[in-house]
Amino acid sequence: MASIAGKKSGLVWAVHISVALLVLLWLFPTIGLFVSSFRTADQISSSGWWAALFPAEQNEVYRAADPDDNRVADGDMFVVEGNIFEGSPRDIRSWGVSSRDVSAYQPGDTAEMKDGESVTLQADGSYVWRGNDKQLSGRGQRIFITATVPPEFTLDNYTTILFSGSGQDNMAKAFFNTLTVTIPATIIPIVVAAFAAYALAWMEFPGRAILIAAVVGMLVVPLQLALIPLLRLHLGIGIGKGYLGVWLAHTAFGMPLAVYLLRNYMVGLPRDIIENAKVDGATDFQIFTRIILPLSFPALASFAIFQFLWTWNDLLVAKVFLIDATGSTTVMTNQIVELLGTRGGNWEILATAAFVSIAVPLGVFFAMQRYLVRGLLAGSVK
Amino acid sequence: MFSDNPALYGLTVIVIGVGGCLGYFFLSNLFIDKVLFPASGPNAGRNINRANMIRPWLFLFPALFALVVYLAYPVFETLRLSLTDRDQGGAFVGFANYNQMMAEPKFWEAVRNNMLWLIVVPAVSTAFGLLVAQLTDRIKWGNLAKSLIFMPMAISFVGASVIFKLIYDTRPEDQNQIGILNAVWLKFDGGIGSVLLLQVLPSMLLLGFVVIVASVAWSFVRAIVAKGEDHSGWLLPLRLLVAVGALWLIWVSLSSLAGIWIGGLPYGEAQTWLTVPLWNNFFLMVVLIWIQTGFAMVILSAALRGIPEETIEAAIIDGANPFQIFFKIKVPQIMGTIVVVWTTITLTVLKVFDIVFAMTNGQWETQVLANYMYDKLFRANDWGVGSASAIVIMLLVTPILVWNVYNARKEMK
């Protein structure tokens, strides 16, 4: 209420802050996965993903150029000049020439070593290494630096998961398998359910009330009960395990919700339109295809989103009715579960695989959220 | 034939499926109108009536067929399977499967965990959903906030499991912790702040929970003791059941309360969260709560908007503070919706399989009924016991089923 908001601005601030905290809390897990999918395996295992968002202090070791090839005479001494960063500059905080004291000097300082040998390192990474013939031979002088490294992200994980990975690491096939399961399993139940919903909403016949009640009852039947009898049925009539079986199963399991949602929506359409059409001589079939279907678009969209999310995210039905021993028809959820078992510690693979599988539903969710909310309300509040 | 190219196969099925359905409806419609009962000739009137009696069933047939074969028949078939033994060639064995199941500790572990899930997840999700719905109701960016909290709805249980496994991840002592939970845990050192946050605060929450459970239980039991109340009928067993459940909950809470104080917490050591018995159940529940809160929020938010303004204005004029308005005016008016949300989440919880399967697979005492059933059916290949446990899930769902059907019938009258 505006009056309350005006009087108690402290409370309003508390509301804003607590909502912001809740939203952050809810987003935090997903962001963690998202950020991790852009980090290399080394980065993921050396620091938490939250550290990846900020510049980090990091110790690195470089070597001056090979003195035998690069040294030039300077009086009776020799000098090697160069830059320790070849193309990837760092912001040097401190540096050193011994592993026992890696941050002995500031950029621009000169490190004096034994017998007149010295190294000077500038902030941009260029160095001057000076010494006599014996000192400047063999391998290049080691230079330790402590640098602030800006956040670094890579797309390599996605390349691996989508294209170049081998075996389980490659999700491309599973992605297309999931699509193959999802699209028919979303479209077919809509057609079937729409006719049934029209009959239950606008046609008079004995037993209608009982049928509606039966549909409401079947809404809650756990599909766990259906697994064994249907698998036996599928194996018995020769469908076996495969796409046809999983399409049939998804179509049927989505049917109660589809009929229920669509019938509730169609009942609310204005009676006048339908009766006028009947008076004008339209058949039920014409009324349905010309009037009811176009008007029911919002309800159709609601159900389509539900069914899409459900079939895309499903694991159980695919495991039972689709995936056979060869595993060539595996879907993404199943492949991720297998990756959890075999590559449990390889977070760069896991995070990327999981994000590939949740990206599509997230896109659909944000694009069509309106219809999803409407469907939820129609399905639950009534 | 097409199996080599699933995409083409899928496309063909869409065309055949959708075209076939439309063709079926169109042609069968045409058939009864033109061939079977033509609306012309001497019997035109009678024929039209007959056609109109048959037509609804034509429209209904494919959907009914799917419902009967894929949902109704399996319920009875599962019931039959649960009473037979596969190894004896499907011979009838009475309740032997149920007896065998009851003798397994893993089954009772699953029942116990399912009870915990059934109490905690719907309650917490609904409470959070209501909280967010109320908080976002009047602020400008409320819709954005709601949309973001609703987002996990689109994420699969498997995806969510991966997300939370990263949170619960554990590294050896000498490495940086990359799981946020362990990273935070290692910040606690056993000082006064740790005691306040990790021992005093949880204890108060647990005690509050015990008080709530005890008061609910007492309101059920009082009627048995009190004189003049209705002692007969099915209410008595229900009341006793609630009392026993409440006692068990109180016992669980008090023993974990003791655990917090007596054992002392292992500060400074990275924990493998998913292997800590009892507590790991709650870490799994967090995943489902994270997903379901958005659902609860969307529906409760719509319900809050539906409350008549006058009732709230009247309360303000009478000097009610915002908390009183919320608990005394708003919540009672949306109680019906809260119950619907609660039962819907309860149904989801009863069927929860993917989360447990992907995160622990029932190890370390995290088994739940749906995963137990999957284990029996497809790992142990024991269809009898598997079917028996499926029937247990069905029995738990049945009260909600009856209640839903009852409400739907009432609404249609």
Side-chain angles (χ1 to χ4, degrees), chain A residues 1 16 26 44 46 195 225 232 234 247 285 313 319 380, chain B residues 13 25 29 70 78 141 154 176 178 290 316 340 374 383:
Chain A
M1 300 309 306
H16 277 281
W26 246 252
I44 292 179
S46 67
F195 277 95
L225 271 90
R232 273 164 54 122
H234 279 183
W247 287 324
F285 190 80
N313 290 339
K319 267 189 108 67
S380 303
Chain B
V13 164
F25 289 119
N29 206 42
Y70 278 79
T78 303
W141 54 291
N176 271 335
I178 65 166
W290 181 68
I316 292 173
V340 169
Y374 184 87
W383 289 5

PDB file of all heavy atoms in Angstrom, chain A residues 1 16 26 44 46 195 225 232 234 247 285 313 319 380, chain B residues 13 25 29 70 78 141 154 176 178 290 316 340 374 383:
ATOM      1  N   MET A   1       0.838  -1.196   0.000  1.00  0.00           N
ATOM      2  CA  MET A   1       0.000   0.000   0.000  1.00  0.00           C
ATOM      3  C   MET A   1       0.870   1.241   0.000  1.00  0.00           C
ATOM      4  O   MET A   1       1.848   1.326   0.707  1.00  0.00           O
ATOM      5  CB  MET A   1      -0.890   0.029   1.244  1.00  0.00           C
ATOM      6  CG  MET A   1      -1.828  -1.139   1.377  1.00  0.00           C
ATOM      7  SD  MET A   1      -2.810  -1.465  -0.082  1.00  0.00           S
ATOM      8  CE  MET A   1      -3.562   0.109  -0.350  1.00  0.00           C
ATOM      9  N   HIS A  16      13.423  -4.284  -0.273  1.00  0.00           N
ATOM     10  CA  HIS A  16      14.296  -4.282  -1.455  1.00  0.00           C
ATOM     11  C   HIS A  16      15.539  -5.124  -1.212  1.00  0.00           C
ATOM     12  O   HIS A  16      15.936  -5.923  -2.059  1.00  0.00           O
ATOM     13  CB  HIS A  16      14.709  -2.847  -1.801  1.00  0.00           C
ATOM     14  CG  HIS A  16      13.680  -2.126  -2.609  1.00  0.00           C
ATOM     15  ND1 HIS A  16      13.535  -2.334  -3.953  1.00  0.00           N
ATOM     16  CD2 HIS A  16      12.739  -1.231  -2.261  1.00  0.00           C
ATOM     17  CE1 HIS A  16      12.547  -1.582  -4.408  1.00  0.00           C
ATOM     18  NE2 HIS A  16      12.049  -0.895  -3.397  1.00  0.00           N
ATOM     19  N   TRP A  26      19.399 -17.337  -5.194  1.00  0.00           N
ATOM     20  CA  TRP A  26      18.809 -18.269  -6.159  1.00  0.00           C
ATOM     21  C   TRP A  26      19.630 -18.339  -7.447  1.00  0.00           C
ATOM     22  O   TRP A  26      19.650 -19.355  -8.114  1.00  0.00           O
ATOM     23  CB  TRP A  26      17.360 -17.861  -6.452  1.00  0.00           C
ATOM     24  CG  TRP A  26      16.408 -18.890  -5.965  1.00  0.00           C
ATOM     25  CD1 TRP A  26      15.682 -19.742  -6.728  1.00  0.00           C
ATOM     26  CD2 TRP A  26      16.086 -19.210  -4.606  1.00  0.00           C
ATOM     27  NE1 TRP A  26      14.949 -20.572  -5.931  1.00  0.00           N
ATOM     28  CE2 TRP A  26      15.163 -20.275  -4.631  1.00  0.00           C
ATOM     29  CE3 TRP A  26      16.495 -18.718  -3.367  1.00  0.00           C
ATOM     30  CZ2 TRP A  26      14.641 -20.846  -3.474  1.00  0.00           C
ATOM     31  CZ3 TRP A  26      15.969 -19.280  -2.226  1.00  0.00           C
ATOM     32  CH2 TRP A  26      15.064 -20.320  -2.286  1.00  0.00           C
ATOM     33  N   ILE A  44      39.900 -24.266 -12.769  1.00  0.00           N
ATOM     34  CA  ILE A  44      38.814 -24.748 -11.921  1.00  0.00           C
ATOM     35  C   ILE A  44      39.363 -25.446 -10.697  1.00  0.00           C
ATOM     36  O   ILE A  44      38.895 -25.229  -9.578  1.00  0.00           O
ATOM     37  CB  ILE A  44      37.889 -25.696 -12.705  1.00  0.00           C
ATOM     38  CG1 ILE A  44      37.130 -24.923 -13.772  1.00  0.00           C
ATOM     39  CG2 ILE A  44      36.902 -26.375 -11.772  1.00  0.00           C
ATOM     40  CD1 ILE A  44      36.222 -25.781 -14.606  1.00  0.00           C
ATOM     41  N   SER A  46      42.274 -25.064  -9.277  1.00  0.00           N
ATOM     42  CA  SER A  46      43.170 -24.321  -8.396  1.00  0.00           C
ATOM     43  C   SER A  46      42.454 -23.250  -7.585  1.00  0.00           C
ATOM     44  O   SER A  46      42.951 -22.822  -6.556  1.00  0.00           O
ATOM     45  CB  SER A  46      44.307 -23.690  -9.200  1.00  0.00           C
ATOM     46  OG  SER A  46      43.788 -22.698 -10.048  1.00  0.00           O
ATOM     47  N   PHE A 195      -8.572 -32.600 -29.569  1.00  0.00           N
ATOM     48  CA  PHE A 195      -9.860 -33.180 -29.972  1.00  0.00           C
ATOM     49  C   PHE A 195     -10.620 -33.692 -28.753  1.00  0.00           C
ATOM     50  O   PHE A 195     -11.814 -33.436 -28.598  1.00  0.00           O
ATOM     51  CB  PHE A 195      -9.625 -34.325 -30.963  1.00  0.00           C
ATOM     52  CG  PHE A 195      -9.443 -33.859 -32.375  1.00  0.00           C
ATOM     53  CD1 PHE A 195      -8.183 -33.642 -32.893  1.00  0.00           C
ATOM     54  CD2 PHE A 195     -10.549 -33.614 -33.180  1.00  0.00           C
ATOM     55  CE1 PHE A 195      -8.017 -33.206 -34.191  1.00  0.00           C
ATOM     56  CE2 PHE A 195     -10.384 -33.180 -34.482  1.00  0.00           C
ATOM     57  CZ  PHE A 195      -9.119 -32.969 -34.993  1.00  0.00           C
ATOM     58  N   LEU A 225       4.594 -46.430 -11.825  1.00  0.00           N
ATOM     59  CA  LEU A 225       3.786 -47.637 -11.937  1.00  0.00           C
ATOM     60  C   LEU A 225       3.752 -48.167 -13.349  1.00  0.00           C
ATOM     61  O   LEU A 225       3.509 -49.336 -13.569  1.00  0.00           O
ATOM     62  CB  LEU A 225       2.348 -47.349 -11.470  1.00  0.00           C
ATOM     63  CG  LEU A 225       2.114 -47.557  -9.989  1.00  0.00           C
ATOM     64  CD1 LEU A 225       2.379 -46.281  -9.263  1.00  0.00           C
ATOM     65  CD2 LEU A 225       0.733 -48.062  -9.750  1.00  0.00           C
ATOM     66  N   ARG A 232       7.155 -54.265 -20.760  1.00  0.00           N
ATOM     67  CA  ARG A 232       6.765 -55.616 -21.183  1.00  0.00           C
ATOM     68  C   ARG A 232       5.872 -55.558 -22.411  1.00  0.00           C
ATOM     69  O   ARG A 232       6.043 -56.332 -23.354  1.00  0.00           O
ATOM     70  CB  ARG A 232       6.025 -56.317 -20.046  1.00  0.00           C
ATOM     71  CG  ARG A 232       6.942 -57.037 -19.082  1.00  0.00           C
ATOM     72  CD  ARG A 232       6.232 -57.382 -17.806  1.00  0.00           C
ATOM     73  NE  ARG A 232       5.006 -58.135 -18.059  1.00  0.00           N
ATOM     74  CZ  ARG A 232       4.767 -59.346 -17.558  1.00  0.00           C
ATOM     75  NH1 ARG A 232       5.671 -59.934 -16.801  1.00  0.00           N
ATOM     76  NH2 ARG A 232       3.644 -59.967 -17.792  1.00  0.00           N
ATOM     77  N   HIS A 234       5.714 -53.122 -24.668  1.00  0.00           N
ATOM     78  CA  HIS A 234       6.494 -52.694 -25.828  1.00  0.00           C
ATOM     79  C   HIS A 234       7.338 -53.842 -26.374  1.00  0.00           C
ATOM     80  O   HIS A 234       7.431 -54.045 -27.579  1.00  0.00           O
ATOM     81  CB  HIS A 234       7.405 -51.525 -25.456  1.00  0.00           C
ATOM     82  CG  HIS A 234       6.703 -50.209 -25.453  1.00  0.00           C
ATOM     83  ND1 HIS A 234       7.333 -49.017 -25.211  1.00  0.00           N
ATOM     84  CD2 HIS A 234       5.418 -49.903 -25.684  1.00  0.00           C
ATOM     85  CE1 HIS A 234       6.460 -48.031 -25.281  1.00  0.00           C
ATOM     86  NE2 HIS A 234       5.299 -48.544 -25.562  1.00  0.00           N
ATOM     87  N   TRP A 247       8.315 -41.964 -27.724  1.00  0.00           N
ATOM     88  CA  TRP A 247       7.308 -40.991 -28.170  1.00  0.00           C
ATOM     89  C   TRP A 247       5.929 -41.371 -27.651  1.00  0.00           C
ATOM     90  O   TRP A 247       5.188 -40.525 -27.150  1.00  0.00           O
ATOM     91  CB  TRP A 247       7.268 -40.926 -29.700  1.00  0.00           C
ATOM     92  CG  TRP A 247       8.432 -40.249 -30.318  1.00  0.00           C
ATOM     93  CD1 TRP A 247       9.103 -39.173 -29.809  1.00  0.00           C
ATOM     94  CD2 TRP A 247       9.079 -40.575 -31.545  1.00  0.00           C
ATOM     95  NE1 TRP A 247      10.123 -38.826 -30.647  1.00  0.00           N
ATOM     96  CE2 TRP A 247      10.128 -39.666 -31.729  1.00  0.00           C
ATOM     97  CE3 TRP A 247       8.874 -41.554 -32.511  1.00  0.00           C
ATOM     98  CZ2 TRP A 247      10.973 -39.696 -32.832  1.00  0.00           C
ATOM     99  CZ3 TRP A 247       9.703 -41.587 -33.618  1.00  0.00           C
ATOM    100  CH2 TRP A 247      10.748 -40.673 -33.779  1.00  0.00           C
ATOM    101  N   PHE A 285     -16.510 -30.890 -36.628  1.00  0.00           N
ATOM    102  CA  PHE A 285     -15.129 -30.885 -37.094  1.00  0.00           C
ATOM    103  C   PHE A 285     -14.712 -29.489 -37.552  1.00  0.00           C
ATOM    104  O   PHE A 285     -13.626 -28.994 -37.230  1.00  0.00           O
ATOM    105  CB  PHE A 285     -14.973 -31.882 -38.243  1.00  0.00           C
ATOM    106  CG  PHE A 285     -13.549 -32.124 -38.634  1.00  0.00           C
ATOM    107  CD1 PHE A 285     -12.754 -32.989 -37.904  1.00  0.00           C
ATOM    108  CD2 PHE A 285     -12.994 -31.468 -39.721  1.00  0.00           C
ATOM    109  CE1 PHE A 285     -11.439 -33.209 -38.255  1.00  0.00           C
ATOM    110  CE2 PHE A 285     -11.672 -31.688 -40.071  1.00  0.00           C
ATOM    111  CZ  PHE A 285     -10.897 -32.559 -39.339  1.00  0.00           C
ATOM    112  N   ASN A 313      13.864 -32.471 -20.184  1.00  0.00           N
ATOM    113  CA  ASN A 313      14.564 -32.671 -18.915  1.00  0.00           C
ATOM    114  C   ASN A 313      14.434 -34.080 -18.371  1.00  0.00           C
ATOM    115  O   ASN A 313      15.022 -34.408 -17.354  1.00  0.00           O
ATOM    116  CB  ASN A 313      14.033 -31.681 -17.872  1.00  0.00           C
ATOM    117  CG  ASN A 313      14.449 -30.267 -18.194  1.00  0.00           C
ATOM    118  OD1 ASN A 313      15.412 -30.059 -18.919  1.00  0.00           O
ATOM    119  ND2 ASN A 313      13.733 -29.296 -17.671  1.00  0.00           N
ATOM    120  N   LYS A 319      15.469 -43.519 -19.949  1.00  0.00           N
ATOM    121  CA  LYS A 319      16.265 -44.668 -19.519  1.00  0.00           C
ATOM    122  C   LYS A 319      15.498 -45.976 -19.708  1.00  0.00           C
ATOM    123  O   LYS A 319      16.079 -46.983 -20.077  1.00  0.00           O
ATOM    124  CB  LYS A 319      16.629 -44.513 -18.031  1.00  0.00           C
ATOM    125  CG  LYS A 319      17.965 -43.853 -17.800  1.00  0.00           C
ATOM    126  CD  LYS A 319      18.357 -43.925 -16.349  1.00  0.00           C
ATOM    127  CE  LYS A 319      19.485 -44.894 -16.136  1.00  0.00           C
ATOM    128  NZ  LYS A 319      20.749 -44.496 -16.726  1.00  0.00           N
ATOM    129  N   SER A 380      -3.397 -25.301 -11.681  1.00  0.00           N
ATOM    130  CA  SER A 380      -3.333 -25.511 -10.234  1.00  0.00           C
ATOM    131  C   SER A 380      -4.412 -24.791  -9.455  1.00  0.00           C
ATOM    132  O   SER A 380      -4.969 -25.339  -8.527  1.00  0.00           O
ATOM    133  CB  SER A 380      -1.980 -25.051  -9.705  1.00  0.00           C
ATOM    134  OG  SER A 380      -0.973 -25.730 -10.368  1.00  0.00           O
TER     135      SER A 380
ATOM    136  N   VAL B  13       7.890 -39.136 -38.322  1.00  0.00           N
ATOM    137  CA  VAL B  13       6.902 -39.468 -37.304  1.00  0.00           C
ATOM    138  C   VAL B  13       6.001 -38.276 -37.024  1.00  0.00           C
ATOM    139  O   VAL B  13       4.793 -38.421 -36.827  1.00  0.00           O
ATOM    140  CB  VAL B  13       7.602 -39.964 -36.028  1.00  0.00           C
ATOM    141  CG1 VAL B  13       6.653 -39.934 -34.860  1.00  0.00           C
ATOM    142  CG2 VAL B  13       8.123 -41.352 -36.243  1.00  0.00           C
ATOM    143  N   PHE B  25      -9.325 -38.031 -37.547  1.00  0.00           N
ATOM    144  CA  PHE B  25     -10.491 -37.273 -37.103  1.00  0.00           C
ATOM    145  C   PHE B  25     -11.359 -36.875 -38.290  1.00  0.00           C
ATOM    146  O   PHE B  25     -12.585 -36.999 -38.251  1.00  0.00           O
ATOM    147  CB  PHE B  25     -10.047 -36.026 -36.330  1.00  0.00           C
ATOM    148  CG  PHE B  25      -9.457 -36.350 -34.989  1.00  0.00           C
ATOM    149  CD1 PHE B  25      -8.154 -36.010 -34.670  1.00  0.00           C
ATOM    150  CD2 PHE B  25     -10.214 -37.023 -34.037  1.00  0.00           C
ATOM    151  CE1 PHE B  25      -7.616 -36.320 -33.443  1.00  0.00           C
ATOM    152  CE2 PHE B  25      -9.683 -37.333 -32.806  1.00  0.00           C
ATOM    153  CZ  PHE B  25      -8.380 -36.984 -32.505  1.00  0.00           C
ATOM    154  N   ASN B  29     -14.973 -38.780 -39.137  1.00  0.00           N
ATOM    155  CA  ASN B  29     -16.091 -37.848 -39.092  1.00  0.00           C
ATOM    156  C   ASN B  29     -16.904 -37.944 -40.386  1.00  0.00           C
ATOM    157  O   ASN B  29     -18.141 -38.020 -40.381  1.00  0.00           O
ATOM    158  CB  ASN B  29     -15.524 -36.442 -38.927  1.00  0.00           C
ATOM    159  CG  ASN B  29     -16.498 -35.517 -38.251  1.00  0.00           C
ATOM    160  OD1 ASN B  29     -17.143 -35.927 -37.292  1.00  0.00           O
ATOM    161  ND2 ASN B  29     -16.624 -34.318 -38.759  1.00  0.00           N
ATOM    162  N   TYR B  70      -1.726 -46.649 -21.213  1.00  0.00           N
ATOM    163  CA  TYR B  70      -0.471 -46.207 -20.594  1.00  0.00           C
ATOM    164  C   TYR B  70      -0.606 -45.798 -19.133  1.00  0.00           C
ATOM    165  O   TYR B  70       0.395 -45.637 -18.454  1.00  0.00           O
ATOM    166  CB  TYR B  70       0.140 -45.065 -21.406  1.00  0.00           C
ATOM    167  CG  TYR B  70       0.919 -45.575 -22.596  1.00  0.00           C
ATOM    168  CD1 TYR B  70       0.266 -45.974 -23.745  1.00  0.00           C
ATOM    169  CD2 TYR B  70       2.296 -45.692 -22.544  1.00  0.00           C
ATOM    170  CE1 TYR B  70       0.961 -46.467 -24.818  1.00  0.00           C
ATOM    171  CE2 TYR B  70       3.003 -46.185 -23.624  1.00  0.00           C
ATOM    172  CZ  TYR B  70       2.333 -46.575 -24.756  1.00  0.00           C
ATOM    173  OH  TYR B  70       3.027 -47.077 -25.814  1.00  0.00           O
ATOM    174  N   THR B  78       0.632 -53.552 -12.466  1.00  0.00           N
ATOM    175  CA  THR B  78       1.656 -53.464 -11.417  1.00  0.00           C
ATOM    176  C   THR B  78       1.176 -54.135 -10.141  1.00  0.00           C
ATOM    177  O   THR B  78       1.928 -54.854  -9.476  1.00  0.00           O
ATOM    178  CB  THR B  78       2.009 -51.999 -11.138  1.00  0.00           C
ATOM    179  OG1 THR B  78       2.432 -51.396 -12.340  1.00  0.00           O
ATOM    180  CG2 THR B  78       3.117 -51.881 -10.117  1.00  0.00           C
ATOM    181  N   TRP B 141      10.778  -3.662  -9.486  1.00  0.00           N
ATOM    182  CA  TRP B 141      11.469  -4.712 -10.239  1.00  0.00           C
ATOM    183  C   TRP B 141      11.025  -6.101  -9.773  1.00  0.00           C
ATOM    184  O   TRP B 141      11.708  -7.090  -9.994  1.00  0.00           O
ATOM    185  CB  TRP B 141      12.974  -4.547 -10.132  1.00  0.00           C
ATOM    186  CG  TRP B 141      13.473  -4.485  -8.703  1.00  0.00           C
ATOM    187  CD1 TRP B 141      13.252  -3.477  -7.812  1.00  0.00           C
ATOM    188  CD2 TRP B 141      14.224  -5.473  -7.999  1.00  0.00           C
ATOM    189  NE1 TRP B 141      13.820  -3.775  -6.609  1.00  0.00           N
ATOM    190  CE2 TRP B 141      14.440  -4.990  -6.698  1.00  0.00           C
ATOM    191  CE3 TRP B 141      14.754  -6.711  -8.358  1.00  0.00           C
ATOM    192  CZ2 TRP B 141      15.132  -5.712  -5.750  1.00  0.00           C
ATOM    193  CZ3 TRP B 141      15.459  -7.419  -7.401  1.00  0.00           C
ATOM    194  CH2 TRP B 141      15.638  -6.913  -6.114  1.00  0.00           C
ATOM    195  N   ALA B 154      12.989 -24.351 -15.191  1.00  0.00           N
ATOM    196  CA  ALA B 154      13.321 -24.801 -16.541  1.00  0.00           C
ATOM    197  C   ALA B 154      14.513 -25.748 -16.535  1.00  0.00           C
ATOM    198  O   ALA B 154      14.807 -26.372 -17.537  1.00  0.00           O
ATOM    199  CB  ALA B 154      13.604 -23.607 -17.441  1.00  0.00           C
ATOM    200  N   ASN B 176      43.037 -25.728  -2.576  1.00  0.00           N
ATOM    201  CA  ASN B 176      41.962 -24.757  -2.428  1.00  0.00           C
ATOM    202  C   ASN B 176      40.619 -25.450  -2.594  1.00  0.00           C
ATOM    203  O   ASN B 176      40.463 -26.276  -3.474  1.00  0.00           O
ATOM    204  CB  ASN B 176      42.069 -23.685  -3.523  1.00  0.00           C
ATOM    205  CG  ASN B 176      42.932 -22.537  -3.088  1.00  0.00           C
ATOM    206  OD1 ASN B 176      43.073 -22.291  -1.886  1.00  0.00           O
ATOM    207  ND2 ASN B 176      43.510 -21.851  -4.046  1.00  0.00           N
ATOM    208  N   ILE B 178      37.033 -25.712  -4.009  1.00  0.00           N
ATOM    209  CA  ILE B 178      36.323 -25.067  -5.105  1.00  0.00           C
ATOM    210  C   ILE B 178      34.810 -25.145  -4.929  1.00  0.00           C
ATOM    211  O   ILE B 178      34.063 -24.536  -5.665  1.00  0.00           O
ATOM    212  CB  ILE B 178      36.718 -25.666  -6.471  1.00  0.00           C
ATOM    213  CG1 ILE B 178      36.284 -27.118  -6.562  1.00  0.00           C
ATOM    214  CG2 ILE B 178      38.218 -25.541  -6.685  1.00  0.00           C
ATOM    215  CD1 ILE B 178      36.350 -27.627  -7.981  1.00  0.00           C
ATOM    216  N   TRP B 290      15.081 -25.511  -4.206  1.00  0.00           N
ATOM    217  CA  TRP B 290      15.561 -24.467  -5.128  1.00  0.00           C
ATOM    218  C   TRP B 290      14.701 -24.431  -6.391  1.00  0.00           C
ATOM    219  O   TRP B 290      14.377 -23.366  -6.917  1.00  0.00           O
ATOM    220  CB  TRP B 290      17.019 -24.773  -5.469  1.00  0.00           C
ATOM    221  CG  TRP B 290      17.717 -23.831  -6.369  1.00  0.00           C
ATOM    222  CD1 TRP B 290      18.052 -22.539  -6.076  1.00  0.00           C
ATOM    223  CD2 TRP B 290      18.187 -24.094  -7.687  1.00  0.00           C
ATOM    224  NE1 TRP B 290      18.712 -21.998  -7.141  1.00  0.00           N
ATOM    225  CE2 TRP B 290      18.813 -22.920  -8.142  1.00  0.00           C
ATOM    226  CE3 TRP B 290      18.159 -25.194  -8.531  1.00  0.00           C
ATOM    227  CZ2 TRP B 290      19.400 -22.822  -9.399  1.00  0.00           C
ATOM    228  CZ3 TRP B 290      18.742 -25.105  -9.775  1.00  0.00           C
ATOM    229  CH2 TRP B 290      19.355 -23.922 -10.207  1.00  0.00           C
ATOM    230  N   ILE B 316      -5.919  -1.624   7.318  1.00  0.00           N
ATOM    231  CA  ILE B 316      -5.014  -0.493   7.528  1.00  0.00           C
ATOM    232  C   ILE B 316      -5.712   0.594   8.338  1.00  0.00           C
ATOM    233  O   ILE B 316      -5.145   1.164   9.283  1.00  0.00           O
ATOM    234  CB  ILE B 316      -4.524   0.058   6.179  1.00  0.00           C
ATOM    235  CG1 ILE B 316      -3.610  -0.972   5.506  1.00  0.00           C
ATOM    236  CG2 ILE B 316      -3.783   1.367   6.369  1.00  0.00           C
ATOM    237  CD1 ILE B 316      -3.212  -0.596   4.112  1.00  0.00           C
ATOM    238  N   VAL B 340      -3.303 -26.133  -2.288  1.00  0.00           N
ATOM    239  CA  VAL B 340      -3.084 -26.674  -3.638  1.00  0.00           C
ATOM    240  C   VAL B 340      -1.590 -26.734  -3.953  1.00  0.00           C
ATOM    241  O   VAL B 340      -1.075 -27.750  -4.442  1.00  0.00           O
ATOM    242  CB  VAL B 340      -3.825 -25.814  -4.684  1.00  0.00           C
ATOM    243  CG1 VAL B 340      -3.386 -26.214  -6.086  1.00  0.00           C
ATOM    244  CG2 VAL B 340      -5.313 -25.987  -4.543  1.00  0.00           C
ATOM    245  N   TYR B 374      13.486 -48.124  -8.686  1.00  0.00           N
ATOM    246  CA  TYR B 374      14.293 -48.236  -9.907  1.00  0.00           C
ATOM    247  C   TYR B 374      15.398 -49.268  -9.721  1.00  0.00           C
ATOM    248  O   TYR B 374      15.664 -50.084 -10.601  1.00  0.00           O
ATOM    249  CB  TYR B 374      14.877 -46.874 -10.265  1.00  0.00           C
ATOM    250  CG  TYR B 374      15.644 -46.892 -11.562  1.00  0.00           C
ATOM    251  CD1 TYR B 374      14.987 -46.687 -12.767  1.00  0.00           C
ATOM    252  CD2 TYR B 374      17.017 -47.123 -11.583  1.00  0.00           C
ATOM    253  CE1 TYR B 374      15.674 -46.729 -13.962  1.00  0.00           C
ATOM    254  CE2 TYR B 374      17.717 -47.159 -12.772  1.00  0.00           C
ATOM    255  CZ  TYR B 374      17.042 -46.954 -13.956  1.00  0.00           C
ATOM    256  OH  TYR B 374      17.720 -46.997 -15.140  1.00  0.00           O
ATOM    257  N   TRP B 383      11.176 -57.893 -10.284  1.00  0.00           N
ATOM    258  CA  TRP B 383       9.953 -57.168 -10.631  1.00  0.00           C
ATOM    259  C   TRP B 383       8.910 -57.218  -9.529  1.00  0.00           C
ATOM    260  O   TRP B 383       8.132 -56.293  -9.369  1.00  0.00           O
ATOM    261  CB  TRP B 383       9.355 -57.749 -11.931  1.00  0.00           C
ATOM    262  CG  TRP B 383      10.183 -57.397 -13.116  1.00  0.00           C
ATOM    263  CD1 TRP B 383      11.383 -56.748 -13.104  1.00  0.00           C
ATOM    264  CD2 TRP B 383       9.879 -57.673 -14.486  1.00  0.00           C
ATOM    265  NE1 TRP B 383      11.849 -56.599 -14.390  1.00  0.00           N
ATOM    266  CE2 TRP B 383      10.943 -57.161 -15.252  1.00  0.00           C
ATOM    267  CE3 TRP B 383       8.820 -58.299 -15.123  1.00  0.00           C
ATOM    268  CZ2 TRP B 383      10.973 -57.264 -16.638  1.00  0.00           C
ATOM    269  CZ3 TRP B 383       8.843 -58.406 -16.509  1.00  0.00           C
ATOM    270  CH2 TRP B 383       9.916 -57.887 -17.258  1.00  0.00           C
TER     271      TRP B 383
END
